[in-house]
Amino acid sequence: MKKSDINNTPASRTQTKIGAITIGQSPRTDITGDICPLLAPNITLQEYGALDPFDADYINQNFAPGPDSSVLVTRMRDASQVIIGEEHILPLVQSCITRAEADGCQATVLLCTGKFPKLNTKAIAHQSHPSLYTASLKKLADDPPIRPPWSPNA
């Protein structure tokens, strides 16, 4: 093994924190339970749920889809489902991205099958179909540490 190989092993990499964002409530163990065992030891997955602060009654009263809404169905912490209007969830998802970045996440992954408009992010953002979650996060885990494009070491 060459010295350069030793310095590029997963154990020698710096810690990388990835924000996993759901439009419902976290944790999403139904998704992350399959992903986390595949991640390199230097990858930490931090979950954020757009609906985390709210209970089902509040969500049903305040986030129900309107007549012209795009309808989204999402999972609550207790595995029940709620139906919400997309226009209500977008600012909450953006808030999760902002919080993840403030918490030091170098990348965010949106755990949702719906198509979303471009969201504001300083870090690498990835939105994928559920079948690609594991492959996407494994790729992040196998790659060199994530650096923002403006980083001097990028």
Side-chain angles (χ1 to χ4, degrees):
M1 181 180 289
K2 298 182 295 190
K3 185 176 181 178
S4 61
D5 292 338
I6 294 170
N7 291 330
N8 197 28
T9 62
S12 69
R13 296 180 190 160
T14 59
Q15 280 299 114
T16 299
K17 188 169 20 172
I18 298 173
I21 299 168
T22 178
I23 65 168
Q25 290 184 331
S26 63
R28 285 298 306 265
T29 55
D30 58 316
I31 297 172
T32 59
D34 292 334
I35 295 170
C36 288
L38 299 174
L39 297 177
N42 67 307
I43 302 287
T44 303
L45 199 63
Q46 177 70 42
E47 295 185 56
Y48 299 85
L51 298 178
D52 281 353
F54 311 108
D55 65 23
D57 289 336
Y58 184 88
I59 293 165
N60 291 328
Q61 291 173 8
N62 294 282
F63 301 138
D68 298 324
S69 294
S70 291
V71 175
L72 300 172
V73 179
T74 190
R75 187 175 192 261
M76 299 290 284
R77 191 171 291 112
D78 66 2
S80 64
Q81 293 182 340
V82 291
I83 299 171
I84 55 177
E86 180 182 37
E87 70 277 9
H88 301 296
I89 206 68
L90 292 176
L92 299 173
V93 169
Q94 183 62 61
S95 176
C96 287
I97 292 170
T98 302
R99 199 167 79 234
E101 290 176 350
D103 289 347
C105 291
Q106 291 97 333
T108 56
V109 177
L110 184 56
L111 304 177
C112 181
T113 60
K115 186 170 181 155
F116 281 80
K118 184 167 173 52
L119 296 161
N120 295 323
T121 180
K122 295 176 186 170
I124 297 168
H126 184 73
Q127 178 182 343
S128 65
H129 189 273
S131 63
L132 300 177
Y133 294 148
T134 301
S136 298
L137 286 173
K138 183 156 177 29
K139 176 74 174 139
L140 287 171
D142 290 341
D143 282 348
I146 298 167
R147 299 192 198 296
W150 61 88
S151 169
N153 297 325

